[in-house]
Amino acid sequence: MAGFRATDKALFPIKNIKTVVQLFRNQLEHSQEPDLSLLSIVAGVIENSLTSRSNLQICEPVEHNCLPNLDLETITLMYSKFQTIIKNAVEVNKQRKYATRELVKKVSDVIWNSLTRSYYKDRAHLQSLYSYLSGSKLDCFGVAFAVVAGCQVLGYNDVHLALSEDHAWVVFGENGSETAEVTWHGKGNEDKRGQEIGKGVSSRSWLYVNNKPVVCTRHMEVAALVSAINPSLNSNQDAYEVSELQQELLWLLYDLGHLKKYPMAIGNLGDLEEISSREGRVECRVLFEEAIKSSRSYYNNQHVYPYTYQGGYFYRNKMYKEAFESWANASDVIRLYNYSRDDEEIYKEFLEIANELIPHIMKIESSGFSANTILKKPECFAHLLRFYDGICQWEEGSATPVLHIGWAKPLVNTISKFDADVRAQVNILCDTVQDGAKKNAGICNNNNNNNYEKENGAQTETKDEKDTNFPTIEALTAACSEKLLNP
Ligand SMILES: CC1(C)CN=C(N2CCN(c3ncnc4sc(C(F)(F)C(F)(F)F)cc34)CC2)S1
């Protein structure tokens, strides 16, 4: 059983970040299960006290890192309150080893029905059990996490959190073979709580990552609550102590091996390291590569965010050729999905890359001051075409259109910045993908060495072997822009 043990209680009152990390280490390294409700309450109290307007002025720096006094009394009260809510509402059939769908639905109903009637669901700081117990508010991740924490209280250690890149649900039963929705997704969608995870059309949507979700262990559920810590004070400031705590806890989880199969958590750590790097730790760039390797190793490269974490890093650091390659690799992931109405988040991601970030890069690069301009690099043109081609293919076979005229201007603007002699150095190679999956036009230039070809088996082709019946770049770009201009 999990639990709030004497060794943990001895750490109170907690006055600094080091002690919080020690509490998490105790819980993570102890042979029994880490106690999700205890850790979520502690993280939530710290986050909310350091980011809420109310106590900004009175947070005196107790030590060099200022934390509010976390006393045992406060934490114990909330910890017991959660236990009582769950145990009073759900009678447990002691004989059962595994949870049933009814049990999972019942715990979800207890959480769901105790939430405040209506509140702004996308607000920050609504992810923890502190938010649930002190304000009866949770965001969609928070509901799913609370259900798993509730099932842990009841002794069902088979119930685990399953995470896609924009949704959370639970797995349960023998070998975690059963799935169930326990929270809502997006705006204005009926919740599907209690139902199995989409077998139908939604299973080809990015929202369910082609049935390659991150299925958490207890320790990875701690990584999820740590990842969900939100240090933002407002839209352009972070509470320093909260992001420092999050970074320390992510390194603790990283060192204990609990981020290996959790690409987004590694990406979160990479973002924090880019802002303030820790002595003796790998460079943030390495973390972004590790997140990509994790997705390729454990999730059949079906996740997009590892590439957009990496692309964002390259973009911020003016490494534009590398950014184009990351975004083209992200596009290679999305091309095999069908776009559905639940995929707005990733649509917005690609829209921002295509219509804000890439045009911004082209503007800078064509201002004539960059000596080593990307406009002279055929591999940059190849990456961009692969990027756009992936979005076109994402749309193919989807019930919902992706592209509209708003995409066309930036696209044509970007492509036209490359001179014909640069474009001519890029060869289009087409390789087909078996068993009904979407066809794949691999785009590469003849001195291309990115892992796209290695990954997808597209052969590179030297210039003189150019095969006349492959579409030329002009044909492809014309087709692409034709499609865009006359959807
Ligand atoms: C490259 C980016 C645009 C920068 N931040 C990104 N994040 C921030 C962190 N993030 C996450 N980071 C760790 N774990 C999770 S679980 C999850 C979720 F499944 F959607 C949930 F649970 F519904 F919210 C989201 C998410 C979502 C993606 S993607």
Side-chain angles (χ1 to χ4, degrees):
M1 270 306 282
F4 194 5
R5 292 179 303 266
T7 43
D8 305 320
K9 296 185 175 174
L11 295 171
F12 286 81
I14 291 181
K15 296 186 164 48
N16 56 47
I17 288 172
K18 201 166 57 65
T19 316
V20 181
V21 175
Q22 190 51 51
L23 172 65
F24 273 74
R25 182 185 289 278
N26 284 2
Q27 284 284 319
L28 287 165
E29 288 190 327
H30 203 282
S31 56
Q32 291 150 321
E33 298 213 323
D35 190 310
L36 297 180
S37 50
L38 171 66
L39 298 179
S40 180
I41 288 165
V42 169
V45 168
I46 294 171
E47 171 176 328
N48 280 274
S49 60
L50 290 178
T51 57
S52 64
R53 228 183 311 284
S54 59
N55 104 319
L56 269 189
Q57 61 286 2
I58 60 160
C59 165
E60 72 284 346
V62 177
E63 301 205 349
H64 76 283
N65 47 39
C66 138
L67 280 188
N69 258 351
L70 276 187
D71 54 78
L72 187 55
E73 175 80 17
T74 322
I75 301 299
T76 309
L77 267 175
M78 284 192 272
Y79 182 73
S80 319
K81 182 177 174 185
F82 184 68
Q83 305 255 331
T84 309
I85 292 170
I86 297 293
K87 284 181 177 168
N88 287 2
V90 189
E91 75 285 334
V92 175
N93 174 340
K94 272 290 157 227
Q95 276 59 45
R96 280 192 174 283
K97 186 164 186 298
Y98 298 115
T100 61
R101 184 170 301 278
E102 292 64 35
L103 183 276
V104 167
K105 178 59 165 57
K106 176 69 185 157
V107 175
S108 175
D109 286 344
V110 171
I111 301 291
W112 188 269
N113 296 325
S114 56
L115 295 178
T116 308
R117 273 288 139 260
S118 81
Y119 56 95
Y120 177 49
K121 307 285 189 301
D122 290 346
R123 221 181 68 195
H125 317 304
L126 299 184
Q127 77 288 52
S128 76
L129 287 188
Y130 168 79
S131 172
Y132 171 65
L133 294 164
S134 63
S136 306
K137 294 182 193 65
L138 285 171
D139 59 23
C140 69
F141 165 82
V143 169
F145 182 87
V147 171
V148 175
C151 291
Q152 183 182 40
V153 165
L154 297 172
Y156 289 104
N157 297 335
D158 57 309
V159 181
H160 285 291
L161 193 59
L163 303 169
S164 74
E165 297 191 298
D166 189 40
H167 190 31
W169 59 92
V170 300
V171 298
F172 61 97
E174 199 159 5
N175 308 323
S177 53
E178 300 295 324
T179 63
E181 299 273 6
V182 291
T183 185
W184 78 87
H185 176 263
K187 286 191 172 34
N189 307 327
E190 259 312 285
D191 72 270
K192 300 187 266 188
R193 288 182 314 114
Q195 297 174 30
E196 259 191 301
I197 294 313
K199 288 248 179 304
V201 67
S202 68
S203 68
R204 287 207 58 76
S205 68
W206 164 77
L207 187 69
Y208 290 97
V209 283
N210 211 4
N211 209 15
K212 296 285 179 193
V214 174
V215 179
C216 293
T217 61
R218 276 287 174 264
H219 296 79
M220 287 168 74
E221 280 142 14
V222 176
L225 85 85
V226 171
S227 256
I229 288 172
N230 184 340
S232 30
L233 273 171
N234 52 52
S235 51
N236 45 34
Q237 262 179 306
D238 279 1
Y240 172 74
E241 293 80 4
V242 181
S243 57
E244 200 194 356
L245 172 63
Q246 183 178 38
Q247 195 167 350
E248 293 302 314
L249 291 176
L250 284 172
W251 276 124
L252 170 66
L253 288 151
Y254 178 94
D255 294 337
L256 295 174
H258 303 310
L259 301 193
K260 267 195 183 1
K261 298 183 178 179
Y262 197 165
M264 287 186 289
I266 303 170
N268 287 338
L269 183 54
D271 276 353
L272 290 165
E273 279 294 303
E274 184 188 355
I275 294 165
S276 109
S277 56
R278 285 283 170 283
E279 279 296 301
R281 288 293 186 178
V282 290
E283 247 190 275
C284 61
R285 178 175 184 168
V286 173
L287 291 169
F288 295 124
E289 285 157 10
E290 285 182 13
I292 288 167
K293 282 186 198 121
S294 172
S295 171
R296 288 178 175 175
S297 309
Y298 302 109
Y299 305 106
N300 191 30
N301 199 33
Q302 300 291 295
H303 295 185
V304 176
Y305 281 153
Y307 295 108
T308 50
Y309 269 114
Q310 187 189 53
Y313 166 76
F314 286 138
Y315 174 75
R316 290 188 293 271
N317 291 275
K318 304 187 183 350
M319 300 160 78
Y320 297 138
K321 179 162 81 87
E322 293 80 358
F324 287 168
E325 182 170 6
S326 304
W327 291 334
N329 289 338
S331 188
D332 277 343
V333 173
I334 204 71
R335 71 169 67 239
L336 294 177
Y337 283 107
N338 284 339
Y339 180 58
S340 101
R341 50 191 293 281
D342 293 323
D343 294 347
E344 280 92 357
E345 280 311 306
I346 205 65
Y347 172 85
K348 288 188 288 190
E349 200 61 34
F350 279 106
L351 194 71
E352 187 195 16
I353 293 166
N355 297 352
E356 313 285 333
L357 306 186
I358 291 172
H360 173 71
I361 293 171
M362 302 316 281
K363 200 161 96 256
I364 296 180
E365 289 293 302
S366 48
S367 64
F369 296 115
S370 0
N372 180 20
T373 172
I374 54 169
L375 301 182
K376 292 283 171 233
K377 293 181 180 164
E379 60 269 42
C380 288
F381 187 60
H383 295 323
L384 281 173
L385 284 182
R386 189 154 60 90
F387 171 74
Y388 291 125
D389 182 61
I391 297 172
C392 292
Q393 195 174 334
W394 182 25
E395 179 172 63
E396 283 159 29
S398 303
T400 324
V402 175
L403 300 166
H404 54 65
I405 192 70
W407 290 75
K409 191 165 156 287
L411 183 150
V412 176
N413 221 323
T414 299
I415 286 178
S416 59
K417 288 273 190 329
F418 290 85
D419 294 343
D421 63 306
V422 180
R423 301 203 310 269
Q425 294 172 58
V426 176
N427 305 331
I428 302 272
L429 301 178
C430 296
D431 59 90
T432 54
V433 179
Q434 276 70 36
D435 65 307
K438 292 185 172 181
K439 293 283 166 288
N440 222 344
I443 290 165
C444 64
N445 65 318
N446 45 21
N447 57 10
N448 185 308
N449 56 10
N450 77 357
N451 30 30
Y452 177 69
E453 278 68 23
K454 286 178 218 118
E455 293 290 307
N456 297 279
Q459 300 73 34
T460 44
E461 178 193 54
T462 53
K463 203 125 184 60
D464 43 355
E465 286 157 19
K466 192 170 167 45
D467 183 327
T468 48
N469 67 8
F470 278 112
T472 62
I473 285 292
E474 282 68 17
L476 185 93
T477 37
C480 221
S481 32
E482 172 63 25
K483 182 184 189 48
L484 285 164
L485 296 170
N486 312 297

